[in-house]
Amino acid sequence: MRATTIHAPFDMRVEDVPDPVIQEPTDVVLRVLRACICGSDLWAYRGEAARQPGQRIGHEFLGIVEAAGSDVTGFAAGDLVVAPFVWSDGSCEYCAEGLQTSCPRGGFWGSVGSDGGQGEAVRVPFADGTLVKLPAEAAGDDHLLTALLALSDVLGTGHHAALGAGVEPGSTVAVVGDGAVGLCGVLAAKRLGAERIIALGRHTARTDIARAFGATDVVAERGEAAEAAVRELTGGQGAHGVIEAVGTEQSMRTAVAIARDGGSIGYVGVPHGSGTGLDLSVMFDRNIALRGGVAPVRAYIPELLPDVLSGAIDPSPVFDLTVGLDGVPSGYRAMDERTALKVLVKP
């Protein structure tokens, strides 16, 4: 089979790799119908996150079960399923608490020794604890498949950020970051009943999606100018909830500065850079809460899935470029150069 591998910074290849096979009775082998490139993949692409030469990559995918191990009870060959961006056994205390990302036997797709999602097929460990079944008829609906793919990461991550930010009906929310996760944070905030959603972003194509997803205001400034603009929009107080979806020191400083006293920051941007931008004394004095981290999207898929199936929410506009498997390297270049927001892969 063919799959995407990374060999060095900016050196992505689509190569022949061994076909996945059932190794444990709890495995399934899944044929990938849709995958995509994540903004967090770019840190490896740029050399800011270490990878071994030839390592697989990609953690967002859905597809058809091709074969199931003897202990798999929830899935059979032919089932359409979506995979969260980590696998988990579904039986540990963390899984029971809805924190599958801390499962001791869990792991991330594309980690050393595991399959990556940007390929033709994937071996899925602990299938019963990991995968979520989708309606079979969705396999023939291209638009719906694209929307459902967002359940594997960005939609659930945006939802996690909105929960961390304490979004509730009638609240004012600011979203720092106009990437796919930030835009899904806008969508999640709208779904949870936010009355006012302020999207911070400078790229018109992205802020247009933010408005379509429910943003009521757009702030194009950065740094202190952005802080002043949000303060002006909120009568000097700031936002009840702030979604931080970038992960840099500057973005976190902005998030703290635009939060209302007594407000909350939901942070899901993968931290990168020299520091965190957190001043605990400022947060202490202003009673600002900080909640977030790696999103346990497996816990959120059952809640979000019905709304995607019904069309109540449609995250598909975050995918603005589609490539075949051979086009994945060019997809990375497009996202790195910011000519694409999020690249959809059709193996």
Side-chain angles (χ1 to χ4, degrees), residues 207-225:
T207 55
D208 285 348
I209 296 174
R211 290 188 185 277
F213 281 1
T216 55
D217 304 272
V218 170
V219 169
E221 294 84 359
R222 280 189 172 185
E224 293 183 358

Side-chain angles (χ1 to χ4, degrees), residues 178 183 186 199-218 317-318 341:
D178 60 2
L183 294 174
V186 172
L200 281 68
R202 299 187 299 170
H203 303 85
T204 303
R206 300 182 179 202
T207 55
D208 285 348
I209 296 174
R211 290 188 185 277
F213 281 1
T216 55
D217 304 272
V218 170
V318 302
L341 168 60

Side-chain angles (χ1 to χ4, degrees), residues 29-163:
V29 171
L30 181 152
R31 175 169 53 88
V32 177
L33 292 183
R34 297 289 183 276
C36 55
I37 301 173
C38 182
S40 64
D41 292 332
L42 295 180
W43 303 121
Y45 179 70
R46 294 166 179 160
E48 298 181 42
R51 293 291 189 274
Q52 294 183 0
Q55 190 171 335
R56 298 278 296 276
I57 195 167
H59 56 261
E60 301 166 272
F61 58 95
L62 57 75
I64 302 289
V65 174
E66 295 259 289
S70 58
D71 288 352
V72 175
T73 60
F75 304 98
D79 286 343
L80 178 66
V81 296
V82 62
F85 65 82
V86 303
W87 70 81
S88 53
D89 64 18
S91 59
C92 72
E93 291 185 6
Y94 285 114
C95 287
E97 295 167 2
L99 194 64
Q100 289 89 345
T101 49
S102 291
C103 177
R105 296 200 290 174
F108 289 79
W109 308 112
S111 55
V112 175
S114 73
D115 293 343
Q118 293 163 17
E120 292 180 323
V122 174
R123 180 183 73 89
V124 179
F126 303 112
D128 284 328
T130 300
L131 300 174
V132 176
K133 190 179 295 187
L134 302 173
E137 58 271 20
D141 187 329
D142 186 69
H143 182 88
L144 181 56
L145 274 183
T146 301
L148 290 168
L149 177 61
L151 290 167
S152 65
D153 185 347
V154 287
L155 182 58
T157 298
H159 180 70
H160 187 58
L163 293 179

